[in-house]
Amino acid sequence: MRRSHLTTVSLLVALALTACTNAKDVLEPSAITPPAASAQPAPATQGSAAATVPAPPPSTAAPASTTAGAPAASPVTSAQAAAILSKTRLQIAPIVGASVDAATPLTAELQTRAKQRGITLAGSQDQTATHVLKGYFSTMTEGKDTTVIYVWDVYDPSGNRLHRINGQMKAPSTGSGGSAADSWKSVSPATMQAIADQTIDQFAAFLSGKAS
């Protein structure tokens, strides 16, 4: 009877221990095994971070830069040049360096040549002049030849220099040399007239944009 009672008690104790072990296994967090992650990523849903990041645009090569040649300036036509000259009023300042005898045929030819080119000469007191021409002259005698050296400065009415014309012309000398006044006596009127023609022609070329 006692042995049967002990056997029953032992069975009850064993059952109680087994029940405690099973409860511990259930309540232990480490005993809970999370489900294995799926090998395929879940599709991005609208509004998720992955969906709001745009893909970078494909890189495109920058177009090669091309430099178009600047169009050449159109040459001034004869009609345009004539229109420019017709609007010009040229005032000639007193000649510096030349004698009165040499300056007289020079001034007369300047007026004649200017009229031929369509340029109007303005008087010394004319306030409508568009350009002022100032001339500086000197001579150099070597043997029987006399060289006339000249410089013309072109100014606007405000006194700003716009252009310079210079040159020299050699003429046979008939004088005996000596002083500067004597050298001017040997310069013929034809030489001064030729200088006047060249001066007006170069001035007209400057106005037409053809001055070199």
Side-chain angles (χ1 to χ4, degrees):
M1 183 70 180
R2 181 179 294 178
R3 181 178 297 177
S4 175
H5 179 71
L6 292 174
T7 301
T8 302
V9 172
S10 298
L11 290 173
L12 292 174
V13 171
L15 290 173
L17 291 174
T18 302
C20 291
T21 302
N22 291 339
K24 181 179 180 181
D25 291 340
V26 172
L27 297 177
E28 182 67 31
S30 61
I32 302 175
T33 303
S38 174
Q40 297 294 332
T45 59
Q46 185 176 4
S48 65
T52 57
V53 179
S59 60
T60 56
S65 60
T66 57
T67 304
S74 301
V76 178
T77 64
S78 57
Q80 291 173 331
I84 294 173
L85 297 180
S86 65
K87 297 178 181 179
T88 302
R89 296 183 61 83
L90 179 62
Q91 183 183 97
I92 301 177
I95 306 300
V96 177
S99 66
V100 175
D101 292 338
T104 299
L106 172 71
T107 303
E109 186 62 21
L110 286 172
Q111 296 174 353
T112 301
R113 191 66 169 181
K115 185 177 181 180
Q116 292 174 351
R117 299 302 300 267
I119 300 172
T120 301
L121 292 183
S124 59
Q125 302 300 323
D126 194 336
Q127 301 298 321
T128 64
T130 59
H131 298 80
V132 179
L133 189 64
K134 295 183 179 181
Y136 308 89
F137 283 74
S138 63
T139 58
M140 181 177 62
T141 302
E142 293 180 355
K144 295 183 178 181
D145 293 330
T146 298
T147 301
V148 179
I149 302 170
Y150 59 92
V151 175
W152 297 95
D153 284 333
V154 181
Y155 294 88
D156 65 10
S158 299
N160 301 310
R161 193 177 75 179
L162 306 177
H163 186 58
R164 168 164 284 187
I165 300 170
N166 56 67
Q168 59 185 29
M169 183 168 292
K170 184 178 293 186
S173 176
T174 58
S176 58
S179 65
D182 292 337
S183 63
W184 277 113
K185 290 180 180 179
S186 64
V187 177
S188 66
T191 299
M192 302 304 290
Q193 291 169 347
I195 292 175
D197 291 342
Q198 291 185 5
T199 299
I200 294 298
D201 289 346
Q202 292 185 46
F203 174 69
F206 159 69
L207 292 179
S208 302
K210 299 178 182 179
S212 56

